[in-house]
Amino acid sequence: MSEHPRPDEAGDRGTPAERLDLIEALLAPAVAGWDEAGRRLRPAWRRVTRGEPRWPSTLAVLVAVVLQWRLPARLAIHPGWLLPGLETVLLLVLVAADPVRIERASRLYRWAGLALIALISAANGWSAVHLVIGLVRGTEGEDAAALLATGGAIWVTNVLAFALWYWEWDRGGPVARVHAVRRYPDFLFPQMATPALAPEHWEPQFADYLYLSFTNATAFSPTDVMPLTRWAKLLMLLQSAVSLLTVVLVVARAVNILK
């Protein structure tokens, strides 16, 4: 026997409000089913999810700091300990605020993260410019092995810095992505275009942005990850230009020394 009367039976008795309540009760199971189906069909990168682990981005920052610390003094901002020290302090603050997973929504926290990446980029940019000036003037690069080591350190730091920029800016940053604040992505990963080929809970994390940065620095153009917004395209353009200039000048000088 039916739990609820049929709509045509209910229509003969009760006030309009009562009849409307009855219709809503009859439709409630179907609406709940539609909502559940919508949640299942919505990809993870469009839903509210857990924050990504803290350690990959922390390791990238530590590697960048160590590489900057070991650069020749003539290529570093003086005093040589200043920027690496500031970067380490900011990193400790960020880790203390969110030690395991990046989930804390805070304007101050976000600005601290951006300041950390800006310091890494500024220090590496200073080193790259002075290396290029020295190569052009002929005052840099007397030993091929030392030159390749220095140029390689600057190039790797460049890859790490831009990976951090991509990671921090795409859809408002890792915390905004956790809370699904922004609908439209700045980068289109293959898993977004073909969700049937990706796990149900896939969403971009730092390793994906590191891969994007590395391929852009080596191919000097997008590979399988497409920039969608203007800032993303300009940032990739800048990285390709810096990488190309560094690689061409350092390799050319090293080959000339070897000859």
Side-chain angles (χ1 to χ4, degrees), residues 18-139:
E18 292 173 342
R19 293 197 295 270
L20 182 60
D21 291 341
L22 178 58
I23 293 173
E24 289 179 350
L26 292 172
L27 292 176
V31 173
W34 294 337
D35 291 341
E36 179 64 22
R39 284 191 292 270
R40 291 179 179 177
L41 292 175
R42 190 180 302 123
W45 63 273
R46 293 283 300 275
R47 303 193 306 259
V48 176
T49 58
R50 293 194 66 189
E52 64 179 277
R54 159 65 68 184
W55 70 266
S57 57
T58 301
L59 180 60
V61 172
L62 289 175
V63 171
V65 171
V66 171
L67 289 176
Q68 290 178 350
W69 189 277
R70 294 183 62 84
L71 283 176
R74 62 185 180 276
L75 299 179
I77 297 177
H78 293 286
W81 55 265
L82 179 59
L83 288 187
L86 289 175
E87 293 162 5
T88 303
V89 170
L90 284 174
L91 179 61
L92 291 175
V93 170
L94 294 174
V95 171
D98 249 350
V100 181
R101 289 185 176 272
I102 305 174
E103 298 176 329
R104 183 176 179 178
S106 168
R107 186 180 297 273
L108 181 61
Y109 175 82
R110 175 163 170 75
W111 279 108
L114 293 174
L116 173 59
I117 304 173
L119 287 176
I120 295 174
S121 300
N124 197 58
W126 176 278
S127 300
V129 168
H130 281 72
L131 177 63
V132 169
I133 292 175
L135 291 173
V136 172
R137 293 179 175 177
T139 58

Side-chain angles (χ1 to χ4, degrees), residues 178-199:
V178 165
H179 298 286
V181 174
R182 298 186 182 181
R183 179 178 181 183
Y184 299 106
D186 298 282
F187 294 100
L188 179 65
F189 289 87
Q191 293 88 340
M192 296 177 177
T194 54
L197 301 180

Side-chain angles (χ1 to χ4, degrees), residues 235-258:
L235 202 58
M236 290 185 71
L237 184 152
L238 177 61
Q239 183 192 11
S240 296
V242 173
S243 180
L244 178 61
L245 185 62
T246 304
V247 169
V248 168
L249 288 179
V250 168
V251 171
R253 177 61 177 167
V255 170
N256 186 55
I257 295 173
L258 291 174

